[in-house]
Structures are given as C-alpha cells and as structure tokens.
Amino acid sequence: MTVEPPAVPAAPEPELPRGVALAWGVAANPQRGPKRELSIERIVEAAVEIADAEGLGAVSMARVAQSLGYTTMSLYRYVSAKDDLLTLMQEIGTGLPPEPSPDLAAGDWRGRLRELSRAQVEHYLAHPWLLDIPIEGTPVTPNNLAWMDAMLDALADVPVDEFERVAIMLLFTGQMRWRGTIERAYADAASAAGVDPQAIDDARDALLDTLVTAQEFPAVRRAIDAGVFRDETGDPLEFGFERLLDGVAGYVAERAAGAPRDIPAPADPVEAEAAGDKKVREAQKAVREAEKRLRDARKLARDATREATRRIRDSRR
C-alpha cells in the first residue's frame, strides 16, 4: 500500500497593512455611517492640501476632519490610523512617472534616467513634505513601484544583471532625494526671509568672501575667487548628476567587455562587533577631543591674524 506523504500546508499570505490595502484598492469597505458621502479620496486630498500649505506637521486626523466639516470619528470609518493616511498621501504626492519623451532614442538609458530623475525632483518641490515621510524599506504601493519599474526598465538593455540594475536605480533615487532636500531648504529659507532664493546665495557669497582667507582655507578661497559659489561656472548639482551617469556608463562598458560583477563583500560580523568595543569608543572620544582642540587653535590663529592685520592697517594711517 502506498502511503501518501502528509500535505504541506501553504504558507499564509501576509496581511496587508490597511494603508497599503487602501492604496491597492483591496481594503474592506468602510463601516457604514450617517455621513456616507465622505470618501477616502476626499480625506487624502484634504490632507495633501494641508501638507502643501503648512507642512506635514500640520496634518492630523482632527485637522483634516475640521477642513472637511466632519467629526474626527467620521474619518476613522475610512482611515483607521494616521500612518495609513500618510501612506495614502505619499502615494498621491508621488504620482506616476512620466512617459518617455517622443524624441528619446531607443536604448538611451542615460536620457531616460535624466527624465525620471528630474521628474522626481519636481515632485519633491511640488510636495516638499514627501521628504519628511520616513523611509521604511522597499516601497510597496502602486505609484512607488511604478517609479521603480520605470527606472529598471530604462536599464533593461544595459549589460548588467538584475542586482546591478536595482543598485543603479537606488543610486539615482537617493541622489534625487538629496537634491530635493537641498532645493527645498533654499526655498524654505527664501520664503521665511521673504526674499528671492538668489538673495540667499548672494548673502552667503558675501559672508564667504569676508570670512574665508587664503591662509586658513586656501582651497575654499580658490573656489570663491573662481566664482564657483556665484554660479558663474554652471550648476554644480547638475554637474555631479552627469558624473554619476558617466560613472555608471564606465562600469557598464567594463561589464560589456566581460568584466565580472564588482560587488563589495558584506561587512565582517566580527569587525562590526568590534565597532562597539570599549577601546574603539575611547579612540573615538579621543578623536573628538583632538578635533575640539584643533578648532580652538584655529580660532586663536584667526584672532591673531585679524589683530595683526588691524595693527598693520593702523600703522599705515
């Protein structure tokens, strides 16, 4: 008699967080209530409007309910927690990636990554609060995955493997998030001061020109004198972005020529544990103390230089 092996139970499907389920449109219908004309879409749109105008910190369930003319409890029939609301706000703010430009040549992965990267920055500037939502691993909502898919598709014909494509995609998404952070900071500073963003640069350049001497910071002084901080030579952020493309292109060329995949080995767990060793902590403390003494010495040198300059100037009068 043949004995059938016991059936192996299938692994249970992971339970979707409600915010993710709502983003995918597979969440259970909200509880019925007296104000059924309210909808998830209206709630999220109201929250986005508040965040656009006042920042993410201004968004609360009570504030959103007030803007819609409902009670806070009415919102909880649709969105069970603020974290779910943030997930849906991020989904709306992120939007969908642009389609490839009609004049973009087939296989032009550099051009396509330029389009997608610049579009990402535009979304960050349109909805700056997106940068304040914590990163919690790989995104799992439709619009976020659409951006990931578009960037990976741009690299589909590049002679690298899937791991490398994801790594390149993360390189550029990280760069654009950083650029969005920088540009938002300029916009916020200009808005707070009630001036044009260029005025922020002009004021900073004037301070640098006054404070930085060739004796103390010779390399920075050379950059100032070359007009780098006055944008006379171009956009350094754009220049850096193009160098990222050049670096990836060089790596791709090596892979196409048969070079093996170049991936650093993961950190040695023994070394990682040693980083928390008492001797390491003591060494780090000593470095911090030495840096403080160096800063103090540099301040004394600056003061001495200024005093000597003043005396020379006074003696010539």
Side-chain angles (χ1 to χ4, degrees):
M1 182 177 66
T2 303
V3 178
E4 295 291 336
V8 178
E13 292 186 2
E15 182 179 353
L16 292 179
R18 179 162 176 80
V20 174
L22 288 169
W24 282 96
V26 296
N29 290 329
Q31 299 175 12
R32 296 287 181 176
K35 297 181 181 294
R36 286 176 291 178
E37 65 272 17
L38 189 61
S39 68
I40 292 172
E41 290 76 16
R42 287 188 63 194
I43 293 169
V44 177
E45 287 172 2
V48 168
E49 288 178 2
I50 294 170
D52 284 346
E54 303 176 45
L56 194 63
V59 176
S60 67
M61 298 292 275
R63 178 69 186 282
V64 173
Q66 180 185 24
S67 71
L68 292 169
Y70 290 86
T71 65
T72 303
M73 288 307 299
S74 298
L75 266 61
Y76 283 109
R77 297 190 182 101
Y78 297 84
V79 182
S80 57
K82 183 179 176 181
D83 285 348
D84 297 336
L85 179 59
L86 292 179
T87 297
L88 296 172
M89 290 173 62
Q90 184 184 47
E91 181 73 355
I92 295 299
T94 298
L96 289 171
E99 293 295 319
S101 298
D103 56 351
L104 194 67
D108 183 5
W109 61 270
R110 291 182 62 137
R112 181 60 175 149
L113 287 182
R114 284 191 193 97
E115 289 183 342
L116 291 168
S117 296
R118 289 167 183 165
Q120 279 188 329
V121 173
E122 290 174 1
H123 278 274
Y124 288 139
L125 296 181
H127 305 292
W129 47 268
L130 284 170
L131 296 163
D132 297 326
I133 296 180
I135 297 174
E136 298 179 344
T138 303
V140 294
T141 53
N143 286 355
N144 277 295
L145 288 172
W147 281 91
M148 182 185 297
D149 191 73
M151 297 196 84
L152 293 176
D153 184 65
L155 300 164
D157 296 328
V158 174
V160 295
D161 61 31
E162 295 301 333
F163 177 95
E164 291 164 304
R165 289 189 182 93
V166 170
I168 293 169
M169 180 266 300
L170 291 174
L171 172 67
F172 284 96
T173 56
Q175 176 72 7
M176 291 307 102
R177 186 178 181 89
W178 175 79
R179 182 165 184 169
T181 300
I182 295 297
E183 296 199 16
R184 181 183 76 164
Y186 269 88
D188 287 349
S191 177
V195 298
D196 185 88
Q198 183 59 45
I200 300 293
D201 271 343
D202 293 342
R204 177 207 57 189
D205 296 341
L207 284 175
L208 287 174
D209 194 42
T210 300
L211 298 173
V212 176
T213 65
Q215 292 77 20
E216 188 175 7
F217 303 107
V220 178
R221 185 70 244 181
R222 289 195 299 271
I224 292 171
D225 294 339
V228 171
F229 298 106
R230 294 190 297 273
D231 294 332
E232 294 178 358
T233 55
D235 183 350
L237 296 179
E238 193 64 27
F239 176 86
F241 177 76
E242 289 297 322
R243 300 297 71 76
L244 282 181
L245 288 172
D246 288 343
V248 172
Y251 180 81
V252 167
E254 291 177 358
R255 291 286 277 133
R261 185 171 75 167
D262 182 15
I263 300 177
D268 186 335
V270 176
E271 293 181 358
E273 182 178 356
D277 187 81
K278 180 179 179 182
K279 292 182 178 179
V280 175
R281 292 196 298 272
E282 290 174 350
Q284 291 170 341
K285 180 180 178 182
V287 169
R288 290 193 297 271
E289 292 174 349
E291 288 176 342
K292 182 180 184 302
R293 290 194 294 271
L294 179 58
R295 287 194 298 271
D296 292 342
R298 284 178 171 173
K299 183 179 184 301
L300 290 174
R302 284 196 300 271
D303 293 343
T305 300
R306 288 168 182 160
E307 178 62 18
T309 302
R310 183 188 65 78
R311 290 180 180 179
I312 293 171
R313 185 173 57 248
D314 291 346
S315 68
R316 291 174 178 172
R317 290 178 178 175

